[in-house]
Amino acid sequence: MALIAQPFRHPDSGIYYLRRRVPDDLRQIIGKTEIRRSLNTRHYLQAKAAFAHAYAESERLFSDARQGLYVEHREPETIGKPLPTVLLTAPTKSSIRLSEALTRYVQSISMSGRSDYVSRRHTVDYSRAVNRFITDMGDKPIASIQPSDIHAFAANLIQPAEEKVKPLATSSTRLLLARLSSVMAFTVDSGLLETNPVTASRIHKRLGSGKPKRRLDDNRGYTWGELVTLFSHTEFQQLRNAEGRPGNAVYWIPLIAAYTGGRREELAQLYVEDIHQHESGSWFIRIIDDQPDKSVKTDSSRREIPVHPDLIALGLLTLVQDRTPGTRIFPQLVKVSDGFAGIVSKSWRPVTQRCGVYQPGRNPLHAFRHSFKTLAREHGIPKEVSDWITGHASGHIGDSYGVNPLSRMAMEIQKLPSLAKAAGLL
């Protein structure tokens, strides 16, 4: 297996360098067997960021050499640092345009250690933000982008100059600007810019708080009565045998979410082997990113979730029995830009509307996560166990030691009341 290229730290100066072997067919042209470029830092994280675009420049160098466009330049040698360096031909800082900065940022993502799916999703989301700026404001040299440009861009997102362009909500505008800011911050870390124009613009302060203030009567989860209403409704119960896409996923994912507090995407991406039996006899749902098409939100999201006896009684195991390992539980769900569960969310919202429990501002699927936490508090499940089950990080360093006892979780989950019985499903 090939090793991932890493910055080289000079043993004497401590400064990090890019070191690359020159391909055999280019050695006579370049006149070197190896190229080295100073990353101008002794800090590893800064070196790692600079290494990404330096590596990309070396690729362009090799490409130019193959096309007969290579011109060699040498840095003057510095006393005490006799490292011969080939300067890689690159645009000056003032001439680098935003599209080029985005290209370098995307190249750096591939070195972050994220899964392929997360890297692709990250690339799509951040490229969309930058390309929207380019569409509205032009592909400017990054050094020319001013805070005033950021304000003009934000204003055009919320109140587009063209009538045919759909305006964005303030929350969507904030998100898009945050992603643009991340790309600009990368250029600062890489030494291409002195300051981040998005941060300097203080645009987020001008747009106001990202989240509305929480009211005491603001319940983002379902009440017990609403849960009973949902799951006792005829329309919901008929979804159990639904076919096509999303099919029966609209029956099982809300039901599993209500009993586990699991995130919609965690449940939609499950494989057959992710529902398994512990040696104690209890059943668990494994949340883990062990496949190219699976992802988790945070490190604490990787976990085992105990299966409530009601889910077993309702036939959860029929989803995995006699199924081939290595296949997904809901194969009819296709991963698109918003993951596997996007279509489930789109189908679930009208169900809640017809059942009379829909509330504007409440996410119909994510609301089960809030409901689970409320029920856990009401019925005496300790916070630490509730956090283990939902994958919430506690913030205490001591909780990162040891393991979460599965037997304890399996015992505590049984404290939840039987929603299935209350709704007439059992």
Side-chain angles (χ1 to χ4, degrees), residues 52-93:
H53 72 77
Y55 191 93
E57 288 173 10
S58 70
E59 285 293 310
R60 284 193 291 273
L61 172 71
F62 295 156
S63 176
D64 287 348
R66 290 191 171 95
Q67 298 176 51
L69 303 176
Y70 170 73
V71 177
E72 181 182 4
H73 300 276
R74 292 184 183 272
E75 284 183 339
E77 293 189 356
T78 304
I79 297 175
K81 299 178 183 178
L83 281 173
T85 304
V86 175
L87 281 182
L88 309 183
T89 306
T92 62
K93 292 180 181 180

Side-chain angles (χ1 to χ4, degrees), residues 267-413:
L267 305 179
Q269 68 184 8
L270 290 174
Y271 274 65
V272 169
E273 55 268 33
D274 289 330
I275 297 181
H276 64 101
Q277 191 172 26
H278 187 249
E279 58 185 14
S280 65
S282 300
W283 287 86
F284 288 83
I285 298 174
R286 180 188 294 113
I287 305 298
I288 190 171
D289 51 343
D290 59 345
Q291 298 285 349
D293 58 355
K294 295 167 70 177
S295 61
V296 293
K297 185 176 181 180
T298 63
D299 286 341
S300 61
S301 299
R302 299 183 185 93
R303 65 196 188 279
E304 298 275 8
I305 302 176
V307 176
H308 192 282
D310 280 2
L311 290 175
I312 303 295
L314 286 168
L316 177 67
L317 299 185
T318 61
L319 298 176
V320 299
Q321 287 174 342
D322 301 323
R323 294 276 302 278
T324 304
T327 59
R328 291 182 30 250
I329 290 177
F330 302 109
Q332 72 272 30
L333 301 182
V334 178
K335 176 164 278 189
V336 291
S337 61
D338 55 353
F340 287 115
I343 191 172
V344 180
S345 292
K346 291 179 177 68
S347 301
W348 181 247
R349 183 181 295 272
V351 174
T352 64
Q353 291 171 332
R354 289 191 288 270
C355 291
V357 300
Y358 175 79
Q359 286 188 17
R362 181 167 69 186
N363 187 314
L365 266 186
H366 194 71
F368 288 115
R369 195 163 167 81
H370 291 280
S371 300
F372 177 87
K373 297 293 281 192
T374 299
L375 286 173
R377 295 181 187 119
E378 288 179 350
H379 295 277
I381 297 179
K383 181 182 182 302
E384 62 176 3
V385 179
S386 173
D387 288 345
W388 297 341
I389 294 172
T390 56
H392 282 129
S394 70
H396 296 289
I397 187 64
D399 289 342
S400 63
Y401 287 78
V403 297
N404 303 332
L406 301 185
S407 57
R408 171 87 183 283
M409 289 194 287
M411 177 182 66
E412 294 288 350
I413 198 75

Side-chain angles (χ1 to χ4, degrees), residues 14-90:
I15 293 176
Y16 284 94
Y17 284 79
L18 165 81
R19 292 182 61 179
R20 286 202 68 182
R21 176 182 176 275
V22 176
D24 293 342
D25 61 320
L26 300 179
R27 291 186 176 183
Q28 287 188 344
I29 300 173
I30 295 177
K32 295 285 182 181
T33 59
E34 181 185 76
I35 57 173
R36 298 186 185 186
R37 177 179 177 177
S38 173
L39 301 178
N40 300 315
T41 182
R42 292 182 174 87
H43 300 286
Y44 178 70
L45 292 180
Q46 294 177 1
K48 192 173 181 180
F51 181 84
H53 72 77
Y55 191 93
E57 288 173 10
S58 70
E59 285 293 310
R60 284 193 291 273
L61 172 71
F62 295 156
S63 176
D64 287 348
R66 290 191 171 95
Q67 298 176 51
L69 303 176
Y70 170 73
V71 177
E72 181 182 4
H73 300 276
R74 292 184 183 272
E75 284 183 339
E77 293 189 356
T78 304
I79 297 175
K81 299 178 183 178
L83 281 173
T85 304
V86 175
L87 281 182
L88 309 183
T89 306

Side-chain angles (χ1 to χ4, degrees), residues 147-163:
S148 58
D149 296 317
I150 304 300
H151 281 275
F153 176 52
N156 197 51
L157 292 175
I158 296 174
Q159 294 181 332
E162 299 181 23
E163 294 184 0

